[in-house]
Amino acid sequence: MMKEKIKYFFQVSEFSTFQSMALLLLRLIVGIAFVLHGWGKIQNPFGWMPETMGIPGFFQSLAALSEFGGGLALILGLLTPLAMLGLSLTMLVATGMHAFVMKDPFVNMTGGSSFEPALGYLGLAILFLAMGPGRFSLDAKIFGSRR
């Protein structure tokens, strides 16, 4: 029973070829962006933020892992719901940090820091959480599709 529930959680919704190709293209673009954003963080996972931020190393490592590992998972379409849950939470915290702690604007017209990228990535992570990776993914190959 539990095994069936886990399998269902990772099964892929059925989409047309065009829709699955669009999801694949978006997965590759967003996944590569997350890997690149996470690469520097994963090099020093417990201390990539300035100490003045007061964020414990454990939470920094979770963010580094979710960005780098979540990006890889998204590229492959592997364990997508789990990866997107982690990325959604990470981007929610990043949006909050920029908007409320650092008081950055939504868009900085002078090119400075803003919370627009974090909020945009949050929206994309929620999209993949809701839609799944499409049929051109390892999730589809391993877990099959929902009927």
Side-chain angles (χ1 to χ4, degrees):
M1 184 72 162
M2 182 62 138
K3 188 176 180 179
E4 290 176 20
K5 287 182 180 184
I6 292 171
K7 183 178 178 183
Y8 181 81
F9 181 69
F10 291 108
Q11 284 180 328
V12 175
S13 297
E14 290 200 10
F15 293 111
S16 71
T17 300
F18 177 72
Q19 291 167 325
S20 288
M21 288 298 291
L23 284 169
L24 172 61
L25 179 61
L26 193 58
R27 275 190 8 241
L28 293 174
I29 293 167
V30 175
I32 290 168
F34 270 121
V35 166
L36 293 174
H37 279 286
W39 177 250
K41 296 170 184 155
I42 207 75
Q43 303 302 306
N44 183 18
F46 295 96
W48 57 269
M49 293 180 85
E51 286 187 30
T52 56
M53 293 297 289
I55 307 296
F58 174 74
F59 292 117
Q60 292 181 52
S61 69
L62 289 177
L65 180 63
S66 76
E67 286 188 26
F68 185 75
L72 288 175
L74 190 57
I75 290 167
L76 298 171
L78 180 63
L79 305 176
T80 307
L82 185 62
M84 293 306 98
L85 183 61
L87 278 170
S88 293
L89 293 172
T90 300
M91 292 300 103
L92 183 64
V93 170
T95 299
M97 290 292 290
H98 280 279
F100 302 113
V101 176
M102 297 164 60
K103 303 208 185 315
D104 290 337
F106 175 58
V107 175
N108 191 323
M109 301 308 280
T110 63
S113 187
S114 72
F115 67 90
E116 174 192 9
L119 188 60
Y121 283 126
L122 172 60
L124 288 164
I126 291 170
L127 173 82
F128 284 114
L129 185 60
M131 303 295 289
R135 77 167 104 151
F136 304 118
S137 64
L138 287 178
D139 284 346
K141 301 292 181 238
I142 296 168
F143 302 106
S145 62
R146 292 186 200 135
R147 304 238 181 258

